[in-house]
Amino acid sequence: MVRRPVAWVTAIVLFAEAIGIALVNWFMGIVVDRQDMSLAGLDSDVMSTSSKVAGLLFGLYFALCGVVALRVALRDRAPAGVGRILLFSAAVVHALLGAFTVGLVGWGAFAFMMVVLGLIVLIFMTYDRREGTVSDAGPDDAKPDGGATGGGAANDGAANGSNGGTPVIPPPAPSAS
């Protein structure tokens, strides 16, 4: 199965991104504070503090998304409820950040954002919500005699012209009323 490794890699990447975004914004806050300049009349202390707070909030957000991906990897079950919403919002954020970074930072940052977006989408694709409703019974379990016909499942289907023992019922014909 490829589900668990995708969830593990996504969790690791989201934790690394959380640390990275927090450190970059903290560094930008220090740079703005040391420049002692204003932008459109804003106080440099306000800009420095807001950069640091935004970095910490985004870092916590991506770390929380990483916790959801880690929980998916540990439990081997699809994310549900708030965790599903968090991962979905992280996918949207990475799509938007990818669109912005291609012009501002370059193609490398865009590629990274698209890789993270792809990992998050892969979590949703590999953990299909319908998997819990599918029966675990194999084709031999559905037969009335328990599959003990002596010919094996492959020969059974070829001998009687069926698709493995379960009959296919055609849909009803439309009426001409």
Side-chain angles (χ1 to χ4, degrees):
M1 284 273 169
V2 75
R3 300 182 328 173
R4 278 189 146 174
V6 166
W8 279 106
V9 169
T10 305
I12 291 168
V13 168
L14 285 171
F15 285 134
E17 188 177 16
I19 292 169
I21 201 83
L23 290 177
V24 165
N25 277 312
W26 195 269
F27 176 73
M28 287 187 345
I30 291 172
V31 168
V32 168
D33 194 30
R34 290 191 180 159
Q35 289 288 324
D36 202 28
M37 298 169 43
S38 70
L39 177 68
L42 292 175
D43 187 21
S44 64
D45 292 334
V46 172
M47 290 190 306
S48 171
T49 304
S50 63
S51 177
K52 292 175 183 177
V53 168
L56 289 175
L57 289 177
F58 265 109
L60 288 174
Y61 168 70
F62 287 137
L64 189 59
C65 292
V67 167
V68 171
L70 182 65
R71 188 172 179 203
V72 167
L74 290 173
R75 296 176 68 200
D76 198 23
R77 289 190 3 204
V82 176
R84 189 172 179 86
I85 293 169
L86 272 173
L87 283 181
F88 186 78
S89 68
V92 171
V93 165
H94 280 88
L96 291 172
L97 285 176
F100 290 135
T101 58
V102 72
L104 296 174
V105 181
W107 288 102
F110 172 78
F112 175 76
M113 291 296 160
M114 293 302 107
V115 165
V116 178
L117 171 65
L119 286 170
I120 294 170
V121 169
L122 268 176
I123 286 180
F124 287 120
M125 291 178 65
T126 56
Y127 287 95
D128 192 8
R129 298 291 283 176
R130 292 174 284 157
E131 72 187 24
T133 60
V134 175
S135 172
D136 290 337
D140 288 341
D141 295 338
K143 295 181 184 178
D145 62 343
T149 58
N155 292 336
D156 245 0
N160 63 12
S162 69
N163 63 350
T166 55
V168 176
I169 301 172
S175 64
S177 55

